Amino acid sequence: MAANNKRPLPQGERFFTPGATGLRKAVEQRSSVPMTYLFTQVPRWVPPVLLVVLMLAGFAVTNPLGGAAALVVLAFVAWLAYLSWPSLRVGAKVLRVAMMTFLVLLAATRFGLI
């Protein structure tokens, strides 16, 4: 008999933002499949390790390849920030904006724009 290695979905009241319309509703609905896959099918250690490797590549590689690695991290951070934005406090919002600003500047230096 095969063992079931799938993790259960996280507990919570709602997966989607209550009363969301327009762009937020579309992004949340389109994000539900990758989020479910990421949190149930991929081992827990893979996303953080992959992000750390990409971030280190962004720091270490001083050509456009490093910029591309930083952009991947930026896309992931921005995606999670957008999804969690309605439930965040001011301090958490400031930290996310600071992180995204740092990643944009890192990528810009690697592409030679700054």
Side-chain angles (χ1 to χ4, degrees), residues 41-92:
Q41 304 298 315
V42 177
R44 287 181 194 251
W45 60 269
V46 171
V49 168
L50 183 61
L51 286 174
V52 167
V53 167
L54 289 170
M55 192 70 189
L56 290 174
F59 284 129
V61 181
T62 59
N63 60 32
L65 189 58
L71 286 178
V72 172
V73 175
L74 172 64
F76 186 77
V77 169
W79 176 55
L80 289 180
Y82 182 80
L83 291 174
S84 64
W85 198 262
S87 64
L88 296 177
R89 294 181 181 163
V90 175

Side-chain angles (χ1 to χ4, degrees), residues 7-112:
R7 291 184 285 160
L9 289 174
Q11 296 296 318
E13 293 179 23
R14 301 187 189 278
F15 189 72
F16 299 110
T17 303
T21 59
L23 179 63
R24 171 158 293 284
K25 184 176 182 178
V27 170
E28 287 180 354
Q29 288 176 342
R30 288 182 182 229
S31 294
S32 62
V33 172
M35 289 286 282
T36 303
Y37 181 79
L38 182 66
F39 292 123
T40 61
Q41 304 298 315
V42 177
R44 287 181 194 251
W45 60 269
V46 171
V49 168
L50 183 61
L51 286 174
V52 167
V53 167
L54 289 170
M55 192 70 189
L56 290 174
F59 284 129
V61 181
T62 59
N63 60 32
L65 189 58
L71 286 178
V72 172
V73 175
L74 172 64
F76 186 77
V77 169
W79 176 55
L80 289 180
Y82 182 80
L83 291 174
S84 64
W85 198 262
S87 64
L88 296 177
R89 294 181 181 163
V90 175
K93 289 179 181 181
V94 169
L95 286 174
R96 280 163 179 75
V97 169
M99 180 66 173
M100 289 185 287
T101 302
F102 171 75
L103 289 169
V104 166
L105 291 173
L106 177 65
T109 60
R110 297 308 184 239
F111 285 117

